Amino acid sequence: MIDKRTLLSGAVATGVLAFAIPGWAQNYPTKLVRIIVPFAPGGVDVTARLIADRLTAALGQPFVIENRPGAGGSVGAKAVASAEPDGYTLLFSTPGPVVVSPAINRNAGYDAVRSFAAIALVSKSPLLLVVHPSVPAKTVNDLVAYARNNPGKVHFPSPGFGTQPHLVGEMFKALTKTDIVHVPYRGSAPSITDLLAGQMQMYFDNFANVLQHVDSGRLRALGVTGEARSPQLPDVPTMDESGHGGIEATYWNGLLAPAGTQPAIVARLNAAVNDALGLPEVRAALLKLGSNPAGGTTEEFAAFIAAEAQRWGTVVREANIKVE
């Protein structure tokens, strides 16, 4: 459920900022705003379009989605980090492009903390471990046993090298001592296409991307990476309940701008996103996608990004994952 105290504090902050925002910033935007989603269509952009539509309605100018996939999302992230910090090029991202890619590739061309101005955390949710029905596994332990008995034959996709599904898959591989094979794609949609076709066997991804396929029976859900079971799939145990508590991850997405963007513009966007997340229809749409609405201040989101960068940076170093 949405954190009402967070939204309330955001609303109070919005009221205060209304008096502090200069007149020129109150007129922002005066033209089309691009929101770059660093993945192929059919995945993250579903949530991004939901927020973009609300920003368009609230701020009176079109907020359009531009998919720019490549290199695990770092192509799109770098494009925003390098853009003019005028509020007209934004990034709607998951953890991978922002906090993981710079840890894996020292030549990524941007930094998780220094290259972006955090606007707002939109949603958070655990990841879901799913398998193709051809895999003879009804539980996580069944999958571990199957993978151990079939070394090198269980493949897992990801939206790209260094994305969160990739790292969680590597965590699973290390902690379960199984020989599973990573196959990077250019986004969640093509990953899921091959998973549904049976060319891939298992996958960690957010609820928004795979829940409909679990409901239809085309994929089987085995575990949740969060601290508690999901209301959408109450019968699916957590990884901890399955005896694999070290495999934990939070999927999130949020809106960012290039570093150096005027704080007044960032504040205006933050207020608009928080207002959108306060709408019952937006909350319902996010929950239907398996995402928990977030919201809050820019400072809270910036601190969250810094903590995520540190956490996943540690995973990257311990697993010795790097661009070759």
Side-chain angles (χ1 to χ4, degrees):
M1 294 181 65
I2 192 166
D3 188 332
K4 294 182 179 178
R5 289 178 299 177
T6 298
L7 279 182
L8 180 59
S9 64
V12 172
T14 300
V16 173
L17 286 167
F19 295 100
I21 296 176
W24 60 267
Q26 291 184 35
N27 293 328
Y28 166 88
T30 59
K31 61 180 181 180
L32 178 148
V33 179
R34 292 185 307 152
I35 300 179
I36 292 180
V37 173
F39 298 110
V44 181
D45 55 343
V46 174
T47 304
R49 292 179 194 283
L50 176 67
I51 298 301
D53 289 346
R54 298 300 170 178
L55 293 177
T56 296
L59 300 180
Q61 291 290 339
F63 282 71
V64 299
I65 301 300
E66 178 180 319
N67 293 90
R68 196 175 296 189
S74 62
V75 170
K78 183 178 180 180
V80 175
S82 305
E84 188 72 24
D86 55 8
Y88 291 97
T89 303
L90 308 176
L91 176 68
F92 193 92
S93 185
T94 61
V98 176
V99 302
V100 178
S101 290
I104 290 176
N105 182 6
R106 294 182 179 180
N107 298 316
Y110 61 93
D111 177 85
V113 175
R114 295 189 294 271
S115 299
F116 300 102
I119 294 173
L121 181 63
V122 172
S123 67
K124 298 169 64 177
S125 67
L127 273 68
L128 187 63
L129 169 59
V130 296
V131 295
H132 187 268
S134 63
V135 176
K138 298 295 179 64
T139 68
V140 176
N141 287 329
D142 286 347
L143 176 61
V144 171
Y146 178 76
R148 287 175 177 169
N149 291 330
N150 296 273
K153 294 184 178 181
V154 174
H155 295 73
F156 72 97
S158 78
F161 191 86
T163 57
Q164 194 179 39
H166 171 208
L167 292 195
V168 179
E170 294 291 348
M171 290 171 63
F172 180 94
K173 178 178 181 178
L175 292 175
T176 60
K177 296 180 173 57
T178 51
D179 181 13
I180 59 176
V181 181
H182 171 233
V183 181
Y185 286 77
R186 289 172 60 87
S188 290
S191 299
I192 294 171
T193 296
D194 277 4
L195 179 68
L196 293 171
Q199 296 180 36
M200 299 289 111
Q201 285 71 50
M202 61 173 283
Y203 187 37
F204 284 95
D205 203 354
N206 68 83
F207 276 65
N209 291 339
V210 296
L211 184 59
Q212 61 178 315
H213 303 301
V214 172
D215 289 339
S216 69
R218 300 182 69 189
L219 295 176
R220 183 184 303 125
L222 300 186
V224 177
T225 65
E227 296 179 353
R229 297 192 182 197
S230 169
Q232 283 83 8
L233 295 171
D235 294 331
V236 177
T238 66
M239 298 301 290
D240 188 28
E241 290 175 321
S242 299
H244 303 280
I247 305 171
E248 296 180 359
T250 298
Y251 174 83
W252 56 266
N253 52 49
L255 190 64
L256 304 98
T261 301
Q262 290 291 333
I265 291 177
V266 173
R268 184 164 172 76
L269 288 166
N270 173 267
V273 172
N274 274 305
D275 286 346
L277 294 174
L279 297 173
E281 61 269 28
V282 172
R283 295 202 301 272
L286 289 173
L287 290 170
K288 186 176 181 180
L289 291 170
S291 298
N292 301 312
T297 67
T298 58
E299 292 81 7
E300 289 168 340
F301 188 27
F304 178 79
I305 289 174
E308 282 281 280
Q310 182 176 7
R311 178 186 182 207
W312 290 109
T314 299
V315 172
V316 167
R317 289 190 297 273
E318 291 181 348
N320 194 29
I321 301 172
K322 56 186 176 181
V323 174
E324 299 178 354

